[in-house]
Amino acid sequence: MDPTPAVRIAHTGELTPVELARVRDMLDAAFEGNFDDDDWDHALGGLHALVLDPYGRPIAHGSVVQRRVQHAGRSYRAGYVEAVAVHAIHRREGLGHRVMAALEQVIDTAYEFGALSASDAGAALYAARGWRLWPGGLAALGPAGPVPLPEEEGSTYVRPAAGRPLPDPGHPLRFDWRDGDLL
C-alpha cells in the first residue's frame, strides 16, 4: 500500500460544507491568523488541489481560479493560484510540490498563463518549480480605472501555460478588481 496520500482535485461546488469548513480551518492554522475572509473568498470558485490525511482532514491545499488580466491591449484568461498551504506538522514532506504540480496541470490545460502573489515563506517553492518573478508593472482595473500596485512588485510570480509564451514585461499586467488584497 502506498503511504503517500493522493491529491484530490475538486471544484468548489463539489466540496461539501463540512469539507469547505475543514479546508478553511486548516488554512487559518497554517497561515497563523494571517488568512482572512477576503483571502478565503479569493480561494473559492475554481479548482482545489487537496491532500487529505487518513481521516479525511486536509493537510495541504491550493486552488486556482480564473482572473482576467489585461496586457498590451488584450484580455487574457489567467489561472491565479490562491491559498497554498501545508499543515505545520506535514511540512517538508513534498506536499506543497504535489499541490502545485496539480494546479500547474490545470493551468497548462485551461489558461494562457498562471500567476500568484507569494509570501516570503512561499517564494522558494514557486521559484523551485519554475515560476518567474514578474519584472514588469502591476495594476488592478478599479471602478475608476487602473490602480497601480507597486507594493506587489517583487512578490508576483508568473508561469506560462504549456507551449505558450509569457506576456511581455514591457507592458503591465492589469488584473480584474476584487475585494481585499487586489493580488
Side-chain angles (χ1 to χ4, degrees):
M1 183 171 138
D2 183 1
T4 307
V7 177
R8 175 184 173 202
I9 300 292
H11 189 277
T12 300
E14 296 172 321
L15 298 173
T16 68
V18 169
E19 290 172 317
L20 287 169
R22 286 179 175 172
V23 170
R24 174 67 194 260
D25 289 346
M26 190 278 291
L27 292 169
D28 287 340
F31 284 103
E32 299 175 343
N34 291 318
F35 191 82
D36 64 22
D37 289 342
D38 287 327
D39 296 323
W40 176 238
D41 185 60
H42 297 166
L44 301 175
L47 292 174
H48 300 260
L50 297 160
V51 179
L52 307 175
D53 72 8
Y55 304 101
R57 296 177 301 221
I59 57 175
H61 173 272
S63 63
V64 62
V65 298
Q66 181 174 299
R67 301 278 309 266
R68 278 294 183 183
V69 181
Q70 201 178 68
H71 177 267
R74 179 166 174 228
S75 178
Y76 288 86
R77 189 180 62 255
Y80 202 86
V81 174
E82 297 282 1
V84 175
V86 176
H87 192 287
I89 63 173
H90 292 283
R91 291 184 183 144
R92 306 288 178 247
E93 296 176 9
L95 298 178
H97 281 282
R98 293 183 61 224
V99 164
M100 287 303 299
L103 298 177
E104 290 161 2
Q105 183 176 7
V106 171
I107 290 166
D108 286 347
T109 59
Y111 297 102
E112 296 175 85
F113 66 93
L116 58 83
S117 181
S119 66
D120 291 341
L125 169 66
Y126 309 123
R129 297 199 54 80
W131 288 73
R132 299 179 204 153
L133 191 60
W134 176 252
L138 296 165
L141 295 170
V147 177
L149 300 171
E151 68 281 358
E152 295 294 338
E153 294 173 10
S155 64
T156 298
Y157 286 73
V158 293
R159 178 186 176 278
R164 296 181 182 258
L166 276 176
D168 174 6
H171 300 276
L173 295 177
R174 294 184 173 129
F175 289 83
D176 54 355
W177 187 262
R178 64 184 188 178
D179 291 334
D181 292 333
L182 298 176
L183 289 187

